[in-house]
Amino acid sequence: MSTTPDFEEAYKKLNAKQKEAVDTIYGPVIVIAGPGTGKTQILALRIGNILLKATGAKPDEILALTFTESAVATLRTRLASFIGGAAYRVRIHTFHGFARSILELRPDLFPRIALGTPLSEVRGIALMEQLLDQGEYIKIRNPKQPHRAARTLVAFMGKLKQEHYTPERYLAELTEAYERLLAEPDRIHTIGVHVGKEKGEPLRRRERLEKHIEVAHLFKAYQEALERESLYDYEDLIAEAVRGLESDEGFRAEVGERSQFVLADEHQDANPAQNRLLELVTDFDGSPNLFIVGDEKQAIYRFQGASLASFFYFKEKYPEAKVISLVENYRSTSKVLAAAHDLIAPTPTSDAAFRPLLSAVRGEGGVL
């Protein structure tokens, strides 16, 4: 495959760490890249490099995942400037868009989605109100305002799915925690005026667990209602794709074989369900060609269920992964970066390789 002059010029301008990220074609690679370090550039150049080198890969065997349609368009435009029309055969998706593409491969495996209707916000709230009226939810249903929590509960069901919970798993974990609490030997006062009564802190935990156990039963009723009415919500796209890949080994192999090289951008934003999807797509190989780009400092926002645990997941799964830190910032001045570093405390759960400080290429110019 041929590249454009723009590719050659951009490649020559890479700094040493950027070049290492672009040139490390095989095996798992984790790139720690803060704002302004050229993430989109290295993603596009790396895809071009995979096709340019003798990998034998076809454009449609490369999968790139990000989080917004805007990011998809930006990456594809940049890639087209480097490799021309082949950029439109590279599979660049949001996580949800990729999940939908998996579902479309085998409609027979996903009849709930293939034959169903997307759940609107209004319909979701109405459905939740109906479920609250039908069940005996004394912990989560306010008798005076029985529908007050409906919108919040619908959102919470989405959060549970982002955390890769099914109703059964959620209830099982809560039940186990509840039984452990009841078995605690010092839960009850044994002396004094409150002898025989439950202590305050265990009481608060018990009441919280009882409330969430009700939520778990409501979660089950909610999912059953969606299926009964041929509805699915936004998070069901990923949940269903994960279910299909987990349950059908042949289908998982088929999807994996179509994705010889996988790139995941803004990985600090990934939630457990998205991580599981990424894992299933790449687990056909003990050392997959998986390229993850993210910034652990931005994981503090816990966007869409993201967390540091999600970000470190693949580093723990593939301890042999090459870790590359991009520290040269091309966007901000040294004064801006110094102020930012002063505001961000070191992350206790991360090691030094995951806490690089950025340095400004632009120097001292500019003002805060």
Side-chain angles (χ1 to χ4, degrees), residues 311-340:
F311 187 55
F312 294 139
Y313 181 84
F314 284 99
K315 181 65 175 73
E316 294 171 359
K317 182 174 176 63
Y318 301 113
E320 78 283 6
K322 176 175 284 192
V323 178
I324 302 171
S325 296
L326 303 185
V327 297
E328 294 186 28
N329 181 285
Y330 294 84
R331 183 184 303 163
S332 304
T333 67
S334 57
K335 287 184 178 180
V336 170
L337 293 177

Side-chain angles (χ1 to χ4, degrees), residues 18 74 116 183 198 218 266 274 293:
Q18 289 174 327
T74 297
E198 193 170 13
L218 180 61
E266 301 289 0
Q274 291 163 336
V293 181

Side-chain angles (χ1 to χ4, degrees), residues 26-68:
Y26 295 104
V29 180
I30 299 174
V31 176
I32 314 303
T37 54
K39 290 180 290 185
T40 303
Q41 191 81 333
I42 65 167
L43 284 164
L45 287 169
R46 178 181 171 82
I47 293 171
N49 213 26
I50 290 169
L51 295 171
L52 182 65
K53 293 190 172 180
T55 63
K58 301 174 183 176
D60 61 1
E61 292 175 336
I62 298 173
L63 171 66
L65 299 173
T66 187
F67 281 85
T68 67

Side-chain angles (χ1 to χ4, degrees), residues 99-214:
R100 184 176 287 281
S101 75
I102 290 175
L103 304 177
E104 290 172 350
L105 286 174
R106 285 282 304 277
D108 61 305
L109 195 60
F110 306 103
R112 180 173 168 229
I113 305 299
L115 303 175
T117 303
L119 181 72
S120 68
E121 181 181 6
V122 172
R123 184 69 185 92
I125 294 171
L127 179 61
M128 186 61 69
E129 291 175 350
Q130 180 182 346
L131 294 173
L132 287 170
D133 288 340
Q134 293 173 347
E136 296 184 5
Y137 301 109
I138 60 175
K139 299 286 185 180
I140 57 177
R141 184 177 183 272
N142 186 322
K144 293 182 179 180
Q145 295 178 293
H147 299 156
R148 181 178 180 181
R151 182 187 297 272
T152 300
L153 285 165
V154 171
F156 189 67
M157 302 306 167
K159 293 294 183 184
L160 287 171
K161 293 176 187 181
Q162 290 171 3
E163 294 291 332
H164 193 39
Y165 275 107
T166 62
E168 293 75 19
R169 179 188 162 205
Y170 188 49
L171 179 59
E173 290 190 9
L174 289 168
T175 302
E176 182 181 347
Y178 190 72
E179 291 173 351
R180 285 199 309 268
L181 172 62
L182 295 183
E184 290 180 4
D186 60 345
R187 186 173 65 87
I188 305 297
H189 287 283
T190 56
I191 59 173
V193 296
H194 299 294
V195 64
K197 294 182 179 180
E198 193 170 13
K199 294 179 181 179
E201 193 275 335
L203 173 61
R204 287 189 292 273
R205 280 194 289 144
R206 179 173 62 79
E207 290 177 339
R208 187 165 59 247
L209 281 168
E210 288 172 349
K211 182 177 180 179
H212 278 273
I213 286 171
E214 276 197 2

